[in-house]
Amino acid sequence: MARKVIIDCDPGLDDAMALCMALFDPRLDVLAVTAVGGNCSPAQATRNVQAIIEQLDPPRWPRLGTASAPDDGLPVDGRYLHGSDGLGDSDFEVAELHHPHPSEKLICDEIRAQPEGVVTILALGPLTNVARAFARDPELPSLVGQVVMMGGAVAGPGNITPTAEFNMYCDPNAAQAIFRSHSTKTLVPLDVTNRVVLSYDLFNRLPDELSKVGRFLRKILPPAFRGYRQQFGLEGIHVHDAVALVAVTQPELFTTEEMAGDVEVTGELTTGATVFDRRGVPAWRNNMDVAVDMRTDAVIETIIQGLNDAARREG
Ligand code: BDR
Ligand code: CA
């Protein structure tokens, strides 16, 4: 039976790529796609989620959730890499949503509508919505099957500050609430996602423009190559969220370790940093699985294959 997932995301190029794979994957039943501010503003993220679904027109449309600002506002955004609209300056037109559903409410409703432990939340952006859903319905952490999160860093540096990863930094209080919640969690941190770089060669292996998936990806991705070269001297782009999706569909490609993790919320230089008690005799209790290694080549092939399969399944 297909695995039921809610994808919470801030599209974002790599969020969009993860959606391209997920929405056509018969192993997944995507119940809802909920927007959150991060790479772009909450309003833009909401438009982008809608635009992605309209552009791809998957066989089964998920319910859509609308984003609102985090309590402390967004400290930063990702437009320097993801383009002025978060989708490579594509400026897709979208119809007005007549019955907007706030993301956190949709998350609660969808989990409540399914048997206990069945729904996976795949969180690809700041954890604002998931934390609000957990605050709104305190039983939710035990009703959700698993929360898989892209974010944080264990052994390496951050990517938006020297210590913090972008998703954690955007809403550290929300991230801390999720880390401390009694839910089953898996973290897919930068330590593994940084290893995947979509090079020009890999870009050329994406589906062609005759397919909706190919047309969409070939429109949104090219401007990012310049951004990554200018910012990081990299000849390719990171696709963190696509890696996190593979951790859901093919967990056997990853090695995980149980860890005790928390998030810094008040540090002058370290706000949003993920902290793990890795002392010989730890005092904190393990609260999540963390992806510490993966078969990188196999993950890359899975992403390319997944996108080509998606194009073939468009119908
Ligand atoms: C994360 O930050 C965002 O910019 C990406 O979409 C990804 O979710 C990587 O740090
Ligand atoms: Ca993201």
Coordinates of all heavy atoms in Angstrom, one line a residue, residues 10 14-15 39 82 124 150 159 165-167 190 240-241, ligand 1:
D10 N 8.8 24.9 1.3 CA 9.0 26.3 1.0 C 9.6 26.5 -0.4 O 10.7 27.0 -0.5 CB 9.9 27.0 2.1 CG 11.3 26.4 2.1 OD1 11.5 25.2 1.8 OD2 12.2 27.1 2.5
D14 N 14.8 23.0 -4.8 CA 15.0 21.6 -4.4 C 13.7 21.1 -3.8 O 13.4 19.9 -4.0 CB 16.2 21.4 -3.5 CG 16.2 22.3 -2.3 OD1 15.5 23.3 -2.3 OD2 16.8 21.9 -1.3
D15 N 12.9 21.9 -3.2 CA 11.5 21.5 -2.8 C 10.7 21.1 -4.0 O 10.0 20.1 -4.0 CB 10.8 22.7 -2.1 CG 11.5 23.3 -0.9 OD1 12.5 24.0 -1.2 OD2 11.2 23.0 0.2
N39 N 12.5 29.9 1.8 CA 13.2 30.3 0.6 C 12.6 31.6 0.1 O 13.3 32.4 -0.6 CB 13.2 29.2 -0.5 CG 14.1 28.1 -0.1 OD1 15.2 28.3 0.3 ND2 13.7 26.9 -0.4
H82 N 17.5 30.9 -5.1 CA 16.3 30.3 -5.7 C 15.6 31.2 -6.7 O 14.5 30.9 -7.2 CB 15.4 29.8 -4.6 CG 16.0 28.7 -3.7 ND1 15.7 27.4 -3.9 CD2 16.9 28.8 -2.7 CE1 16.4 26.7 -3.0 NE2 17.1 27.5 -2.3
L124 N 10.3 19.9 4.5 CA 11.4 20.4 3.6 C 11.8 21.8 3.8 O 12.6 22.4 3.0 CB 11.1 20.1 2.1 CG 10.7 18.6 1.8 CD1 10.3 18.5 0.3 CD2 11.9 17.7 2.1
M150 N 14.4 17.7 6.6 CA 15.6 18.1 6.0 C 16.1 19.3 6.8 O 15.4 20.3 6.9 CB 15.4 18.5 4.5 CG 16.8 18.8 3.7 SD 17.5 20.3 4.1 CE 19.2 19.9 4.6
N159 N 24.9 26.5 6.7 CA 25.0 27.0 5.3 C 24.4 28.4 5.2 O 24.6 29.1 4.2 CB 24.4 26.1 4.3 CG 22.9 25.8 4.5 OD1 22.3 26.3 5.5 ND2 22.3 25.1 3.6
E165 N 22.1 25.8 9.8 CA 21.5 25.4 8.5 C 20.2 26.3 8.3 O 19.5 26.6 9.2 CB 21.2 23.9 8.5 CG 20.6 23.3 7.2 CD 19.1 23.5 7.1 OE1 18.4 23.7 8.2 OE2 18.6 23.6 6.0
F166 N 19.9 26.5 7.0 CA 18.9 27.5 6.6 C 17.5 27.2 7.3 O 16.9 28.1 7.9 CB 18.8 27.5 5.1 CG 17.7 28.4 4.6 CD1 18.1 29.8 4.3 CD2 16.4 28.0 4.3 CE1 17.1 30.7 3.8 CE2 15.5 28.9 3.9 CZ 15.8 30.2 3.6
N167 N 17.0 26.0 7.2 CA 15.7 25.7 7.7 C 15.6 25.9 9.2 O 14.5 26.3 9.7 CB 15.2 24.2 7.3 CG 15.0 24.1 5.8 OD1 14.7 25.0 5.1 ND2 15.1 22.8 5.3
L190 N 22.7 18.5 6.5 CA 23.6 18.9 5.5 C 24.8 17.9 5.3 O 25.3 17.8 4.2 CB 24.2 20.3 5.8 CG 23.3 21.5 5.8 CD1 24.1 22.7 6.2 CD2 22.7 21.7 4.4
H240 N 19.1 19.5 -1.7 CA 18.9 18.9 -0.3 C 17.6 18.2 -0.2 O 17.5 17.1 0.4 CB 19.0 20.0 0.7 CG 20.2 20.9 0.6 ND1 21.4 20.5 1.1 CD2 20.4 22.1 0.0 CE1 22.3 21.5 0.9 NE2 21.7 22.5 0.2
D241 N 16.5 18.9 -0.6 CA 15.2 18.3 -0.4 C 14.9 17.1 -1.2 O 14.1 16.2 -0.7 CB 14.1 19.4 -0.6 CG 14.2 20.5 0.3 OD1 14.8 20.4 1.4 OD2 13.8 21.6 0.0
Ligands
BDR1 C1 17.4 23.8 2.9 O1 17.3 25.2 2.8 C2 16.5 25.6 1.6 O2 17.1 26.7 1.0 C3 16.5 24.3 0.8 O3 15.2 24.3 0.1 C4 16.6 23.2 1.8 O4 15.3 22.8 2.3 C5 18.9 23.5 2.8 O5 19.6 24.1 3.9

